[in-house]
Amino acid sequence: MTPPPVDAAFHAQESRMRMRHRVQLLWALVVVCVVATALIWGLWVVPVSQSVAEAQPVPLGETVELPADGVTGVWASGTAPLLGLVECRAETADGSPLGTWSAPSPGWDDTLWWMTHRVGFSPVQSIADAGGVAASVTCSSQLDAYDGQFLLAGDVTAGGGGVGLGRMGNVDYPAGTLLALGAVGLPLFAFLMTIVLLVQGLRTRRSAR
């Protein structure tokens, strides 16, 4: 017995429907990227950048009062931070130490350096929330031969947390790194994907004529 003839028109219509659904999914992905970009820039990049611009730098070795609430970022400039010699000690008024952690890499300084409105300053550490009590931080150089400045501004580590990714979700990626990469990568992806979809749409219309 010979197989029944293939309905070429049916398969062509089915192929067009699959293509249409694929294009719709890609447009939805572009919208998600645009929304995520707006959130990252509006809630993280711009506030952090403004806080750096408004902060007053002081020489290394001085003690500065911490904000009452929220995680605080330490930004430094000069020879000592360039060589990785800056260390910070934060404590409350009663002498209780506050947690500190280093800024992740890659992070803000690798992707959003052009948004730092103080030339030469880069994030080096973050200090835990003081919980509303009076606290202070002292940043100094490990070697007296090298100096520099530091200031307190927005935190670029998103509280020092991580996001579990990978096949089983057991690989933690620093939230600050994901935000920094997303702030640059998501709008670029959305822009390029929009161009590809528009060009593909024009070609489809021309072929349909």
Side-chain angles (χ1 to χ4, degrees):
M1 297 179 62
T2 59
V6 178
D7 190 348
F10 173 78
H11 285 289
Q13 183 179 3
E14 187 179 13
S15 178
R16 287 194 297 269
M17 290 182 62
R18 285 199 302 266
M19 179 63 68
R20 187 180 301 112
H21 291 160
R22 189 179 299 114
V23 170
Q24 291 174 349
L25 289 175
L26 290 175
W27 275 118
L29 181 59
V30 169
V31 172
V32 170
C33 290
V34 171
V35 172
T37 298
L39 291 175
I40 292 175
W41 277 81
L43 300 178
W44 187 66
V45 176
V46 173
V48 168
S49 179
Q50 290 178 345
S51 70
V52 175
E54 296 170 357
Q56 296 298 321
V58 297
L60 289 175
E62 292 194 8
T63 299
V64 180
E65 292 185 1
L66 280 172
D69 297 304
V71 178
T72 304
V74 178
W75 299 64
S77 173
T79 306
L82 183 64
L83 298 176
L85 299 175
V86 175
E87 58 181 5
C88 297
R89 185 182 72 258
E91 58 185 13
T92 60
D94 60 2
S96 300
L98 295 175
T100 62
W101 55 89
S102 300
S105 181
W108 179 287
D109 198 38
D110 301 289
T111 59
L112 292 162
W113 52 268
W114 45 275
M115 284 296 295
T116 305
H117 299 304
R118 288 189 179 274
V119 179
F121 280 87
S122 59
V124 291
Q125 283 189 335
S126 295
I127 302 171
D129 187 356
V133 302
S136 61
V137 58
T138 303
C139 292
S140 58
S141 173
Q142 298 177 16
L143 297 177
D144 295 335
Y146 302 103
D147 58 2
Q149 294 180 308
F150 76 99
L151 55 84
L152 302 182
D155 170 48
V156 300
T157 69
V163 178
L165 299 175
R167 184 175 181 180
M168 302 297 295
N170 57 354
V171 180
D172 284 339
Y173 289 87
T177 295
L178 297 179
L179 288 173
L181 296 177
V184 176
L186 289 178
L188 180 60
F189 174 82
F191 174 74
L192 294 177
M193 183 57 64
T194 298
I195 294 178
V196 170
L197 291 174
L198 290 176
V199 172
Q200 183 177 355
L202 291 175
R203 290 181 176 177
T204 302
R205 291 179 183 178
R206 289 181 179 178
S207 61
R209 293 177 181 176

